[in-house]
Amino acid sequence: MASFLDHMQYTFKIENSTEIIRSIRSGEQPPAHYKLDVDSFSQVATSLLLESCFLESTEFNVGGYRWVIQIYPNGNEKDNGDGHISIYLKLCDKLKPHFFINVIFRALIYDQERNKYLIIQDLQEKHFDATNAIWGMPRALPQSAFYSECNGFLVQDRCTFGAEVFIINTNTPTGAKVSTLDSNSTRTYTWRLEKFSEISIYDNTYSPEFTIDSRTWKLHVYPKGYGAQKDKSLSLYLELAQRNDLTAGNKLYVEYELGMKNQLSGEDRIRTTQHAFHKSSADWGFPSFVPISDLFISSKGWVMDDVLLLEVRFKHSFMLKNI
């Protein structure tokens, strides 16, 4: 069966009148500056990118500047990217006023069946300055072409993207990998808080540390509430205790449930969230989880025999890490 690469038109006009060109080259010539391998792409696209709608890579250095690429698996609707894979280049360094960088940006997608790279290049130079730090191609590749089995871009739910940034000089290529951490091991932890009436007089307390997906975590509870919920609601958070390796943009994406067990009716309070844990953002949860006024009403079933049961359950997790 003929592939997208066999029939593609190399140059075409997209709706905002910016001209792009598509070409191919051998897989023996990898991306010059950055490569991103993604496992479990469909799960990444549907379950863990709900907040931002795009996957942002780790940082790489070209020409003495720090860059990342942003990939919209479902297209950037705000930039007329419906029905396409959208790919952008972002400058991480803040430029001084009146200073600018002109860049030619190439995005690459690997055809795993034929060992070839599809190169997607904007023919116009992109002008980065203090007010314009992101440029890209909202209609880089039709989703129908990307997901079609005959094209080889997505094989066993794995794919590879690349980036080439042309300024004056370039540095050594770097790369990253997105890997699923889902496992068959137990991914639920239940915290039994005995003598909760005594614990509840404190501002906050931590659970014992526990391990899920080979990482150390702990639950963080504010019995009297945190921030704006002080004296209103119990606040509950998940905290990543082991995060020393989450540097240089490395992130751990987790979708999880936080719960409070109802010991009377069995109708637990469960709330689902997702967060990209990294070195400077190590905890995430809910400041308003259960009203304080309900906790010690026995008919509510939350605290029984002075015991409160809190729980966390991991649903999906992915690691974005430099390689």
Side-chain angles (χ1 to χ4, degrees):
M1 181 181 295
S3 73
F4 175 80
L5 297 182
D6 296 327
H7 294 294
M8 70 181 185
Q9 296 178 349
Y10 289 94
T11 306
F12 68 102
K13 293 279 188 177
I14 58 178
E15 294 182 11
N16 64 1
S17 297
T18 298
E19 201 171 50
I20 69 172
I21 187 169
R22 292 174 178 160
S23 58
I24 58 175
R25 77 177 185 214
S26 169
E28 304 302 321
Q29 185 181 352
H33 304 131
Y34 191 80
K35 187 177 74 166
L36 176 63
D37 296 323
V38 183
D39 292 339
S40 303
F41 181 82
S42 61
Q43 290 188 34
V44 172
T46 58
S47 65
L48 294 184
L49 304 179
L50 302 178
E51 294 179 345
S52 59
C53 299
F54 61 81
L55 172 66
E56 184 171 274
S57 74
T58 55
E59 296 175 1
F60 58 100
N61 192 293
V62 178
Y65 300 98
R66 295 176 301 120
W67 311 85
V68 295
I69 55 173
Q70 294 178 345
I71 299 169
Y72 288 74
N74 303 308
N76 184 3
E77 296 181 359
K78 296 179 180 179
D79 200 14
N80 197 29
D82 291 19
H84 289 72
I85 303 294
S86 304
I87 305 176
Y88 293 80
L89 177 68
K90 176 183 175 182
L91 175 64
C92 299
D93 296 302
K94 183 68 175 179
L95 298 180
K96 296 179 180 179
H98 311 299
F99 191 83
F100 63 88
I101 309 171
N102 288 328
V103 169
I104 290 290
F105 171 47
R106 285 181 179 175
L108 299 90
I109 307 177
Y110 184 51
D111 178 351
Q112 302 169 63
E113 297 291 344
R114 299 161 189 81
N115 189 28
K116 294 181 183 295
Y117 279 98
L118 169 65
I119 303 171
I120 310 163
Q121 178 179 322
D122 197 316
L123 292 182
Q124 294 185 357
E125 291 184 358
K126 292 307 179 184
H127 185 87
F128 289 81
D129 57 28
T131 60
N132 296 290
I134 302 177
W135 291 100
M137 294 166 281
R139 302 170 70 85
L141 182 67
Q143 286 180 325
S144 58
F146 179 81
Y147 284 102
S148 176
E149 293 182 0
C150 67
N151 290 327
F153 298 126
L154 189 64
V155 176
Q156 295 181 350
D157 213 22
R158 298 176 179 176
C159 57
T160 296
F161 296 90
E164 296 180 343
V165 181
F166 297 95
I167 317 172
I168 297 176
N169 297 310
T170 61
N171 290 335
T172 303
T174 59
K177 182 180 179 65
V178 177
S179 302
T180 178
L181 300 180
D182 295 6
S183 66
N184 295 323
S185 60
T186 300
R187 310 185 81 227
T188 300
Y189 172 76
T190 302
W191 182 18
R192 181 183 176 90
L193 285 84
E194 299 182 349
K195 299 181 180 179
F196 182 70
S197 59
E198 299 179 12
I199 295 174
S200 64
I201 66 173
Y202 297 103
D203 286 336
N204 68 95
T205 187
Y206 289 94
S207 74
E209 293 185 349
F210 56 92
T211 300
I212 294 180
D213 291 339
S214 302
R215 284 192 174 271
T216 304
W217 306 83
K218 52 188 175 182
L219 291 175
H220 189 185
V221 64
Y222 292 80
K224 296 189 292 184
Y226 176 74
Q229 294 301 314
K230 183 75 170 179
D231 298 323
K232 297 178 181 178
S233 297
L234 176 142
S235 304
L236 180 60
Y237 299 85
L238 174 67
E239 181 170 324
L240 177 61
Q242 177 189 347
R243 56 183 182 270
N244 292 336
D245 62 331
L246 296 183
T247 58
N250 293 343
K251 302 178 183 72
L252 179 59
Y253 292 89
V254 182
E255 181 181 8
Y256 58 97
E257 295 177 348
L258 289 174
M260 181 180 292
K261 307 287 286 184
N262 191 300
Q263 303 173 63
L264 202 59
S265 68
E267 296 179 0
D268 303 339
R269 174 68 56 85
I270 298 175
R271 299 184 67 180
T272 301
T273 187
Q274 57 276 322
H275 185 60
F277 291 89
H278 51 89
K279 193 169 185 180
S280 58
S281 181
D283 64 341
W284 192 258
F286 300 96
S288 177
F289 199 77
V290 170
I292 293 174
S293 58
D294 289 351
L295 286 176
F296 291 100
I297 299 177
S298 58
S299 61
K300 297 289 185 179
W302 301 124
V303 178
M304 303 294 291
D305 298 325
D306 209 16
V307 174
L308 179 70
L309 299 176
L310 299 175
E311 191 168 85
V312 60
R313 185 175 76 88
F314 279 41
K315 299 180 70 177
H316 303 289
S317 54
F318 303 90
M319 184 70 187
L320 172 65
K321 190 173 184 179
N322 284 320
I323 55 175

